Amino acid sequence: MSLELSKKAAAVKPSSTLAITAKAKELKAQGKDVVGFGAGEPDFNTPENICEAAIKAIKDGFTKYTPASGTNELKAAISKKFKEFNGLDYDTDQIVISNGGKHSLTNIFTALINPGDEVIIPAPFWLSYPEIVKLAGGVPVIVTTTKEQNFKLTAEDLAAAVTDKTKALVLNTPNNPTGMLYTEEELRAIAKVAVEKDFYVVADEMYEMLVYGEQKHISIASLGKDIYDRTITCSGLAKSYAMTGWRIGYTGSSKEIAKMMGSVQSHQTSNPNSIAQKAAVEALTGPQDSVEKMHAEFDKRRKYMYKRICEMDLLDTLEPMGAFYVFVDGSAVLGKSYKGTKIESVPQMADILINEYNTAIVPCADFGFPDCFRLSYAISIEQIEKGLDRIEKFIGELA
């Protein structure tokens, strides 16, 4: 056939993290002892009380369509969580529940963007942001941060990137892939630019409950009415409650934007999964002890992984304060030789690790930093130790 397919869809790159995870699973299926550092999901099972709520929903026949933007019961639970955890007042008609965080972001950009609108995305960034923006007809504007800035966007760099086409900024804290967390002072400076230049802030706070040490998560929308009016706060249950496969994300925004997103969603998916919504109510309103145990285990793994990487030759990193990733600078490895072959890129290094050391890492070219890679500590401490031993052995065999 000679019919041309969508240029927009053809321009979208597949997710490299999902590809790496699939490769690791394939090797495991072949009987290989693979350590996969690519996982963007907790290795814990969903807490039992949440699973029981889903089973009850099925037995009670709660398996029909729900309102397009989610049930009032779950919206009320999310509204309460926004108030108590984030310091944000979102009424139920300002909340849209979707089929996961990616779906929430798709709804947001569909509601905000007209063709050619620019969206500022600080790098390093989660690799799906630019692709979702492009699918919505927008233009990603990448602003690269530095290690000296702790890989965080400054108000000065933000202001310099704004044009008359700027529609929004994507602000991800805690950050994937770096684990960095914005302070209140940093957020206030960014909010000042957003208000003065008059653009939206898409605040992706998916890892908001996974913050460590004395640090505290702060929602930028909580810093005053002007920035609240310009912010769409996006979160979900996947990471904090080990509910990645349940696919529940949600947003808080102005009533106007929420209505638009709900209308779009009504035609795209009808509604979020009814059973998962019942499970989400239990997650937010039920006992939180399982969440606290998972958090404590993540913190233990974080400290171990950070210490080990700091002790390795040729690798460099900053201590992550949130999420469950360590962002590693591998630039000193480039130019070294492995078994007579010069290593010229991090993807080449990743190929050696997966094929010869059965260890999967995530090269970060698709995250805006080609000389870096991401390691997830959402795997057991035993697996982390084994995988880091293999990476250290690889480093030791370089010439």
Side-chain angles (χ1 to χ4, degrees), residues 35-37 43-44 294 296-308 376-389:
V35 174
F37 284 119
D43 57 320
F44 306 105
M294 288 189 282
E297 182 61 26
F298 280 136
D299 194 20
K300 175 183 170 184
R301 298 170 184 181
R302 174 186 73 94
K303 291 173 180 174
Y304 176 77
M305 182 180 281
Y306 173 67
K307 180 175 182 292
R308 283 290 307 275
S376 168
Y377 49 89
I379 58 175
S380 72
I381 196 77
E382 293 79 16
Q383 286 290 100
I384 291 171
E385 183 175 1
K386 184 189 294 185
L388 292 178
D389 285 348

Side-chain angles (χ1 to χ4, degrees), residues 178-340:
T178 67
M180 295 296 108
L181 189 74
Y182 284 80
T183 66
E184 181 176 343
E185 182 181 7
E186 291 164 340
L187 291 173
R188 286 193 181 278
I190 289 170
K192 186 171 186 288
V193 176
V195 171
E196 288 177 352
K197 302 287 187 178
D198 195 22
F199 55 82
Y200 290 104
V201 175
V202 179
D204 183 353
E205 303 182 1
M206 183 61 72
Y207 295 92
E208 61 191 354
M209 293 185 182
L210 297 176
V211 174
Y212 311 104
E214 299 301 315
Q215 305 295 318
K216 182 183 178 184
H217 172 76
I218 297 171
S219 294
I220 192 170
S222 70
L223 301 180
K225 185 180 185 306
D226 287 341
I227 189 62
Y228 171 89
D229 290 341
R230 289 169 174 79
T231 300
I232 302 93
T233 306
C234 180
S235 191
L237 305 176
K239 314 299 183 178
S240 300
Y241 291 90
M243 292 179 70
T244 49
W246 297 78
R247 310 313 301 139
I248 293 291
Y250 58 83
T251 57
S253 66
S254 70
K255 293 180 182 180
E256 179 186 20
I257 292 173
K259 184 177 180 180
M260 291 176 68
M261 289 194 291
S263 295
V264 168
Q265 184 163 292
S266 72
H267 292 289
Q268 290 182 331
T269 67
S270 292
N271 60 269
N273 180 288
S274 61
I275 300 154
Q277 288 187 75
K278 280 289 189 181
V281 171
E282 174 62 24
L284 292 172
T285 63
Q288 302 296 303
D289 52 323
S290 296
V291 178
E292 292 164 6
K293 287 178 183 176
M294 288 189 282
H295 182 280
E297 182 61 26
F298 280 136
D299 194 20
K300 175 183 170 184
R301 298 170 184 181
R302 174 186 73 94
K303 291 173 180 174
Y304 176 77
M305 182 180 281
Y306 173 67
K307 180 175 182 292
R308 283 290 307 275
I309 293 169
C310 287
E311 292 170 350
M312 290 188 198
D313 293 335
L314 305 181
L315 300 183
D316 189 31
T317 190
L318 295 175
E319 182 178 8
M321 297 311 303
F324 41 61
Y325 308 109
V326 176
F327 187 63
V328 185
D329 183 351
S331 58
V333 172
L334 307 185
K336 301 292 183 181
S337 293
Y338 177 76
K339 295 183 177 179

